[in-house]
Amino acid sequence: MSSSIFLRSRDVCMLERDWLDFGFALQDAYPGAQYERILDRWNKPEDIWQMPDPPDYPHHTHLLDTSVGPGASVRMIINPDWRREYYKLYGWYGMPEDQWCWDWPAPPPPSAIFRLGGYIYKEPVPHPSTGDITFYGENKNKDHMAQAGRFFRLLSKFTTNKKNLVNVRVPSMEVTVPVGSSSGFAPSWCGHHAIEWTRQEPDRVLFYARAGFGIRPTAEVEPFTQPPQPKAKKTRKKA
């Protein structure tokens, strides 16, 4: 993305259900968007290294349809007409000049990249792996800036970074400061389902840091529940 810079990025702690719900909302907001998993050139060389034909990576309509798990990366391509144009890249990152791999230009901005999280670690206390979301667009492009704002306002419906969340010491769970205060802690966006998962046990935390800190909801946080589904209208029987 040589013509782009990232406009906005957030670190997130979201479980699979958070990603699933956010993905459905993205489908409604961007009905023509495509999703593809980002290739791991080092760990899956059979996909791209000197194969006779370019790899076949289909685009999907939901970010979790890419069949990837926590820790993987998914790209959201907002332009519905974009298609890959493959070419052979020789000497990639210091490889011998006679070796090549399949490559292709990055999709046009705006776009977004999701590094999924949600894998549950058990030590030193139960905590999910974190992820991040970055929205890309052209520098000083007002339309892209507006789309970035719209994108993250949508994410804010599924995450929060301040409502009754506190930083705690691990493993004592001693409360230090509220999340979102001027304490020097970076903003941490927690998914609603991740918060609910943390509430279920007193030793669970979000955004665990090796320095011995994590995030927990306070007693004032209301449990997350799905919005009520519309009831079917009853029809009166004719006498």
Side-chain angles (χ1 to χ4, degrees), residues 75-91:
R75 177 183 283 112
M76 175 185 179
I77 304 160
I78 295 178
N79 183 348
D81 299 322
W82 181 81
R83 295 295 182 272
R84 286 193 183 100
E85 296 181 1
Y86 292 97
Y87 64 90
K88 294 180 179 180
L89 175 65
Y90 286 85

Side-chain angles (χ1 to χ4, degrees), residues 1-192:
M1 295 187 182
S2 58
S3 63
S4 307
I5 62 170
F6 81 86
L7 298 179
R8 202 175 298 178
S9 183
R10 284 184 183 174
D11 293 328
V12 295
C13 193
M14 301 167 65
L15 299 186
E16 181 179 5
R17 184 60 185 273
D18 293 306
W19 291 110
L20 186 67
D21 290 348
F22 182 45
F24 287 136
L26 288 173
Q27 285 182 316
D28 293 337
Y30 302 91
Q34 312 170 65
Y35 300 86
E36 63 176 17
R37 70 181 181 90
I38 295 179
L39 297 180
D40 184 345
R41 298 178 186 272
W42 291 114
N43 295 325
K44 292 184 70 63
E46 70 276 9
D47 288 343
I48 57 175
W49 287 102
Q50 302 190 164
M51 299 295 291
D53 298 310
D56 180 19
Y57 285 102
H59 289 157
H60 303 275
T61 59
H62 190 286
L63 67 92
L64 292 192
D65 288 342
T66 49
S67 299
V68 295
S73 296
V74 175
R75 177 183 283 112
M76 175 185 179
I77 304 160
I78 295 178
N79 183 348
D81 299 322
W82 181 81
R83 295 295 182 272
R84 286 193 183 100
E85 296 181 1
Y86 292 97
Y87 64 90
K88 294 180 179 180
L89 175 65
Y90 286 85
W92 179 73
Y93 273 83
M95 297 298 291
E97 293 186 0
D98 61 342
Q99 292 191 19
W100 56 268
C101 66
W102 291 107
D103 202 4
W104 53 91
S111 64
I113 290 181
F114 310 84
R115 185 173 62 85
L116 305 179
Y119 176 82
I120 305 299
Y121 294 98
K122 296 183 179 180
E123 299 294 338
V125 293
H127 65 281
S129 61
T130 59
D132 55 67
I133 303 174
T134 303
F135 190 95
Y136 292 86
E138 293 178 348
N139 189 20
K140 299 181 180 180
N141 185 310
K142 292 183 179 179
D143 178 64
H144 291 182
M145 294 291 291
Q147 288 203 48
R150 176 191 178 200
F151 179 92
F152 283 107
R153 283 193 297 272
L154 184 64
L155 176 64
S156 297
K157 295 182 179 180
F158 299 89
T159 60
T160 184
N161 73 331
K162 57 185 176 181
K163 290 186 177 180
N164 298 318
L165 298 173
V166 293
N167 291 287
V168 298
R169 298 185 188 276
V170 176
S172 68
M173 299 300 153
E174 174 192 357
V175 175
T176 57
V177 293
V179 171
S181 67
S182 57
S183 59
F185 286 87
S188 306
W189 291 83
C190 305
H192 296 309

Side-chain angles (χ1 to χ4, degrees), residues 13 15 120-121 125-128 191-201 203-206 216-217:
C13 193
L15 299 186
I120 305 299
Y121 294 98
V125 293
H127 65 281
H192 296 309
H193 291 288
I195 291 173
E196 184 64 16
W197 173 86
T198 311
R199 289 173 54 92
Q200 294 171 4
E201 296 292 340
D203 63 340
R204 294 177 177 177
V205 299
L206 305 176
R216 277 194 57 81

